[in-house]
Structure formats: C-alpha cells, structure tokens
Amino acid sequence: MIVQELNAIQQKFGYLPEEELRAFSKRSQIPMYRLHEVASFFPHYRLKPPATGTVLICRDLACHLAGASRLLQTLKATARETDERIEVGGVSCLGQCDRAPALLINDQVIWGQTESQLRALTRDSVHQRTRGVHDELDKGPTGWQIDPYEGQPRYEAVGLMLDGELSPEKMIQELELSGLFGLGGAGGATHGKWSEVRKEPGATKYIVCNADESEPAAFKDRELLLRVPHLVIEGMTLAALTVGAEKGYLYIRHEYHDQIAAVEAALAEARERGILGQRILGSDRTFELEVFISPGGYICGEQTALLEAMEDRRAEPRNRPPQPMKAGLWGCPTVLNNVETLAWTPAIALKGGKWYAGLGVNGATGMRFVSISGDVKRPGVYELPFGGTVGELIKHAGGLKGTQSVQAIAPSGPSGGFLPARLRVDQVSRKFAERFFTGGRTEMSILDLPLDKPTMRMLDVPLLSAVVVIGSEANLLDLAKNCLEFYRNESCGKCVPCRIGSQKLVEIAEDLIQHHGAMSPQRAEAIDDLATAMIQTSICGLGQVAPLPLTTLMTYFPNLFRKTDLPKTRS
Ligand code: SF4
C-alpha cells in the first residue's frame, strides 16, 4: 500500500511533497518514519521537486559502449546554453540496450534519436514537450515457437486444466520433462518450484511474476510483455491452478510504460472473457491478477528484495532459507517466476514437455530468448535454441558493425564478466578443457562456444540470456570500470563486503586505468582477496558477481595489464 500510494503521489506531483506525505500518513495511520524509510530507498522517488526539464542518459554497458559518456557532456553543454532549469545526468539501465544510447527525458524513455534530435529534445525538455516520440511500436504476430496460438490468445491450456484434462500433477510432470528452468537468471527448475508450493499447507498462496528486468543488456522480457502478454497471464493462471493460489501479481519495472499498458490491456481483456476473476470460465476456481509497478532499482530483480518491496519495505534481499516457496509474499508459499519462464508454460502444457526439450541443439534441451546488444549490426531479441553457439547468435544479429572483429563478449551482461575472442586451455576449468579441448587443441574461438547452462557453469558464468558483443575498438578496462560502477551504484548496502567492496573495486579500476594497467603482485593478491570475500560473504547475487568484470579481465586478458613491482597505495 505504501509503495503504490507513493507511486501515485509522485505520478501526480513529479515528486513526493512533504505535505502530501503528511496527509497520506494521517489518513493511513502509517507513521512518517515508515514512509521515509521506503521513499529514501528507491531511486525512482524524489523528495524534492525535479528540475523543469530532466534529461537522464543511461550510463550502463551497451549505452556506454555506444558513447553515452560523450553524449552526456554534449547534452550538458546544450542545457547550459539553453536554460538553467534543465538538469542533465545519468541513470541506470533502461532496458533499451538494443537501441543505445537510451535516455529518460521528463520520465519518458527515449531511444533511436540522432544526436541533433537529442539536443533538440533537451532544449524542449524545459517545455515538457517529449511525448509521442515512439508511437509506432511493432506488436504484430511473432511466429515465435513460444506462442501456440500464433497471435490469437485462446487460453486453451487453462481450459484443459479447468476441464480436468490436464491435472496439476500432469502439469508438473510436463514441466519436469521439459527441463524448463528459471530464465531470469536464477536457473531453478520450474517444476520444482511449482511442486513445492503445491505441497505446502495453507489456504493462501501467491503467484508473482518478476518483470523487473533491470540487468544491463537484458531486455528480452520487454518484448514478451509487449507482444505476448496473454501468454504471461496464462502462465500465471496455470501456476495458480496447479498450486492452489487465488491471487497473483505481475511486478514490473516502472520505466516499461508501453509494457505496462500492454499488460493492463491484456488483463482487461482476460477479465472480460472470464479467464480471470471469480469462477473463471464458469468453474469454481478463482484467480485475481494485478499489476504491481516497481518503485525502481536493480536490486528489486532479486526475488526476495522484490517481495520486500511488495511488502512496503526497503528492497533489501532476505537471508535464505526459508525460500519463497515456503515463506514468500506476506510469509505465504509463493511461486515466483520470470516473465519468459511463465510464458513458455502454455505451450508446454499443450504440446508436452518433450516438445520443449527437443527444441535444443547440440545436446542441449529447450529454447529461450536472447537479448543481444553491443557492436552488432542488428541488436535485438532473438528466440534461439539452447546449445546454439556465440557465432550463430552474432550471425542472427547481422554480424559485427563496420570492420570490427570480436574482441570479447559479455555473455550475461556485466554479471558474467568478459570472455575473450579465443579461449586458451590454461584459462579454463578442467571440466571445460575436457569437453572442448580434445585432440590436443589448446585454443578455441569464442564463436564456437555453445550458450547453454552446463557450459556457462563450467566457466563460472551465470546464464542470463543477455549477450553484449564487444568489438575490437572498445577499451575493455574502461568497460570493466563501467560495470563495476553499476554494481557500486546498485548495491543495496545491506552487507558490508558488497557495500564497501563494490566501491573499492571501482577505485582499483580507476587506478588501473590511470596507470595504464600497472599490476603489481600485491595488487593482484588484494583484488583476489577482495573478490573471494565478496563471493563468499555477500547475501545476494549482486555482491557475488560484482568482481567478475575485473577478475575475468585478469584471467582472460593478461595483455591488458603491465607487470610491475611497485606497490600501489590504493590497493
Ligand atoms: S550482496 Fe549487495 S546488493 Fe546483495 S544484499 Fe548484500 S549489499 Fe545488498
């Protein structure tokens, strides 16, 4: 209730006026300290009036690669020349990495504009004239495998469950056969989650869809929400019918304006058709579903942080166990799945788990959506089989821009660090070497690397389906610093190793850049110690992956560093 009311106040006034907070406190009997506890945590909330024109440029990986830093300086100069009431600054990833650089102008997401158009929009921002820049979004039929209805949502899988032709046990069995796992990055088996929540006692259970896609380079859910929102709704309904839940929430990042509108329209249609609400499709089952708009912040994508935000608290991840399947939203058993994971379940229910598993190639199972960005000709979202290689993915995206070759890839946004154009046998785990370095080979091209969960695990990289291709002209140390800054900015601060360590890593990267990669043995050891402490003691994934942008450069790109015996004061 607090979060949604604060959202409404900010929507109306552009910030949270103190008198409005006091009025809210009075009518709700919620003390002011609770309101400030929440309002001060989330970056979306402003406690002071914003500038008359606000121009924020995404500063993260793909936008940085596309020249966001230089654009920031250009637009700052434009603002200075135009009107002192225009404020220009940076913002965390807006989920538009394929359209980099992306901006937020007066709270509207802007992309695909030339520099001169952006200068004009900056000048106009003071008059609040930015609406209508992107009126034509393609929402046409997709031809995707995920959509069994070919653009005509029929909710047949829900019908089968309500008719008793598809029992909850059979649904779980098909999910198990499919091998479907969490496609938001956590990677847990979907059938396991659903089955566990089904077995939990208690009358109140929840279904929560995590649509808070905020990892730099991840934007596949953006397209699914826009183009096939009914599949997400049907997936949530199937989960509800399977586990015995009557209430669900679709938790979505607030910058996804078009996606929120698409989901709201689909929800209205589903209610109209009797698919949601009480006595769905004339049965005795109830499932109410509503949208919960996130107050912002990358950490809200962490599932327990998301639950904290929904419960009107600061989005600090919980210690686990208990897992959300036992004690999730409001302490009740909760299925918490990613958008894509849920959207695959209607097709699996109708076509069978074996059908989905059979979509994989090269020994892998299943299919998924990949966001690809960076130095490729056609960045975007592609539906591809697991087991396909990096080379095939880059081909789908039209190959590299200009005359560049691959210098590196970030296989999971900043969360997986960087992999080089050629992997050497002495740089990889024994397991990986046994699989890929057969017949006396000592090197392999990154283009031959299959993108699937077991392979990524052998490289200690999470599988996020967010690939950034980095061309030969990029400065990798600068990109690593950019990724480290992201984690420093987004750390919730709950645990010391992450809060202090993420800042320390940024300082080390700055120093390395300033000293042209000078790496003394003492510094290398200090980085290693810091990374180990963060990986072993951070509560959530953010702190555990934060060192990877730097440590993977040290492993795979030794030529970026100059050996020196001089101890550096800042490490
Ligand atoms: S690891 Fe970082 S982001 Fe995660 S709970 Fe700890 S401080 Fe917060």
Side-chain angles (χ1 to χ4, degrees):
M1 178 198 187
I2 295 178
V3 166
Q4 301 299 40
E5 185 66 22
L6 294 183
N7 283 351
I9 295 172
Q10 170 127 335
Q11 171 95 11
K12 187 169 175 191
F13 297 94
Y15 75 112
L16 302 175
E18 182 70 10
E19 58 276 16
E20 289 298 321
L21 290 180
R22 290 197 180 282
F24 171 38
S25 171
K26 197 168 174 192
R27 67 177 177 271
S28 63
Q29 297 293 300
I30 298 170
M32 281 295 281
Y33 79 86
R34 279 281 292 123
L35 302 188
H36 276 287
E37 178 189 320
V38 175
S40 62
F41 182 85
F42 296 99
H44 177 48
Y45 296 136
R46 300 187 191 102
L47 294 169
K48 291 186 182 147
T52 310
T54 309
V55 178
L56 303 177
I57 299 158
C58 171
R59 58 191 163 214
D60 291 321
L61 190 52
C63 287
H64 186 71
L65 198 54
S69 302
R70 196 187 55 76
L71 181 63
L72 177 72
Q73 298 313 321
T74 304
L75 298 187
K76 274 188 171 175
T78 303
R80 271 197 305 274
E81 290 157 13
T82 310
D83 194 315
E84 63 182 18
R85 293 172 299 160
I86 302 172
E87 183 184 292
V88 177
V91 67
S92 286
C93 183
L94 296 168
Q96 310 291 339
C97 318
D98 50 339
R99 300 150 170 171
L103 295 88
L104 202 58
I105 301 184
N106 293 336
D107 286 335
Q108 189 193 357
V109 179
I110 303 289
W111 71 83
Q113 306 293 296
T114 63
E115 190 170 304
S116 68
Q117 286 170 321
L118 289 173
R119 284 168 61 89
L121 285 170
T122 300
R123 285 191 290 272
D124 276 1
S125 67
V126 79
H127 307 297
Q128 302 282 314
R129 283 200 304 246
T130 46
R131 295 278 149 197
V133 175
H134 307 295
D135 285 339
E136 301 299 324
L137 283 173
D138 180 7
K139 299 181 200 165
T142 60
W144 288 335
Q145 296 270 9
I146 199 172
D147 186 1
Y149 309 124
E150 295 164 348
Q152 304 295 320
R154 294 190 292 275
Y155 288 86
E156 287 169 7
V158 166
L160 287 181
M161 283 203 89
L162 291 173
D163 290 348
E165 287 179 52
L166 178 65
S167 67
E169 292 77 14
K170 176 84 173 135
M171 182 72 228
I172 288 170
Q173 194 186 357
E174 292 302 332
L175 287 175
E176 186 169 7
L177 284 172
S178 74
L180 183 70
F181 59 84
L183 296 168
T190 306
H191 80 275
K193 273 192 183 181
W194 289 27
S195 156
E196 224 176 294
V197 176
R198 176 169 168 74
K199 283 184 203 144
E200 282 297 318
T204 307
K205 299 176 182 179
Y206 293 105
I207 311 298
V208 177
C209 172
N210 184 348
D212 193 58
E213 187 175 52
S214 304
E215 175 89 16
F219 47 91
K220 65 181 176 65
D221 293 342
R222 180 196 78 196
E223 290 303 299
L224 291 166
L225 291 162
L226 190 69
R227 290 162 176 265
V228 288
H230 282 287
L231 292 184
V232 186
I233 294 168
E234 184 167 18
M236 293 183 74
T237 312
L238 290 174
L241 295 174
T242 301
V243 307
E246 295 194 340
K247 181 80 191 171
Y249 295 93
L250 196 145
Y251 185 105
I252 188 166
R253 64 178 302 183
H254 66 88
E255 299 95 338
Y256 275 6
H257 302 140
D258 298 310
Q259 288 69 20
I260 292 168
V263 169
E264 291 283 18
L267 283 175
E269 190 188 331
R271 287 186 195 112
E272 175 87 23
R273 288 165 60 180
I275 291 150
L276 292 174
Q278 298 197 344
R279 302 187 59 78
I280 54 178
L281 292 178
S283 70
D284 60 354
R285 303 297 297 270
T286 292
F287 185 52
E288 310 275 2
L289 178 49
E290 62 183 85
V291 167
F292 188 102
I293 296 177
S294 171
Y298 167 70
I299 196 59
C300 291
E302 201 281 340
Q303 50 182 334
T304 59
L306 178 153
L307 295 173
E308 289 290 294
M310 290 185 73
E311 293 181 17
D312 289 330
R313 287 194 288 269
R314 297 163 77 84
E316 293 174 349
R318 297 174 182 171
N319 287 318
R320 288 186 271 169
Q323 299 291 347
M325 290 84 83
K326 276 202 179 310
L329 187 62
W330 307 112
C332 298
T334 301
V335 169
L336 214 164
N337 281 140
N338 158 264
V339 169
E340 183 186 348
T341 313
L342 288 160
W344 276 108
T345 60
I348 290 170
L350 293 172
K351 298 183 179 183
K354 283 189 183 155
W355 163 81
Y356 176 79
L359 295 174
V361 296
N362 298 327
T365 56
M367 205 164 207
R368 49 68 191 273
F369 287 78
V370 185
S371 322
I372 178 165
S373 58
D375 292 323
V376 288
K377 286 183 189 147
R378 287 198 304 272
V381 175
Y382 296 90
E383 186 189 47
L384 295 169
F386 276 112
T389 64
V390 171
E392 287 159 359
L393 176 58
I394 292 177
K395 207 166 161 193
H396 276 284
L400 268 90
K401 279 183 193 161
T403 55
Q404 295 198 70
S405 56
V406 176
Q407 178 180 191
I409 66 158
S412 293
S415 295
F418 302 98
L419 295 176
R422 295 197 74 76
L423 281 163
R424 288 202 326 257
V425 69
D426 59 308
Q427 296 170 327
V428 297
S429 68
R430 190 170 51 80
K431 257 189 167 176
F432 187 92
E434 281 169 6
R435 175 163 170 207
F436 291 101
F437 292 91
T438 51
R441 287 171 74 198
T442 55
E443 279 195 5
M444 74 175 276
S445 165
I446 196 75
L447 300 180
D448 297 329
L449 184 78
L451 286 166
D452 58 53
K453 200 169 151 191
T455 306
M456 290 297 116
R457 194 178 289 148
M458 283 189 264
L459 288 169
D460 273 338
V461 171
L463 187 65
L464 271 182
S465 302
V467 177
V468 185
V469 178
I470 297 154
S472 38
E473 292 166 13
N475 178 334
L476 280 180
L477 262 179
D478 176 60
L479 281 183
K481 177 171 86 74
N482 174 267
C483 296
L484 297 171
E485 285 169 342
F486 171 77
Y487 289 122
R488 186 267 320 268
N489 296 343
E490 297 296 332
S491 168
C492 79
K494 180 173 179 174
C495 37
V496 177
C498 173
R499 186 175 70 232
I500 308 290
S502 57
Q503 171 59 27
K504 186 74 188 162
L505 285 169
V506 172
E507 289 169 11
I508 290 172
E510 284 169 351
D511 210 40
L512 280 167
I513 290 169
Q514 195 186 345
H515 293 93
H516 310 288
M519 179 70 81
S520 65
Q522 294 91 330
R523 166 173 281 167
E525 200 182 320
I527 294 170
D528 197 45
D529 286 349
L530 180 56
T532 304
M534 290 176 73
I535 290 164
Q536 290 182 349
T537 60
S538 292
I539 290 176
C540 83
L542 187 152
Q544 291 156 10
V545 300
L548 285 177
L550 183 57
T551 55
T552 50
L553 285 196
M554 291 164 67
T555 303
Y556 297 116
F557 300 86
N559 293 342
L560 289 175
F561 302 98
R562 278 187 308 117
K563 283 202 176 118
T564 168
D565 288 333
L566 292 176
K568 295 293 167 196
T569 50
R570 292 177 74 185
S571 62

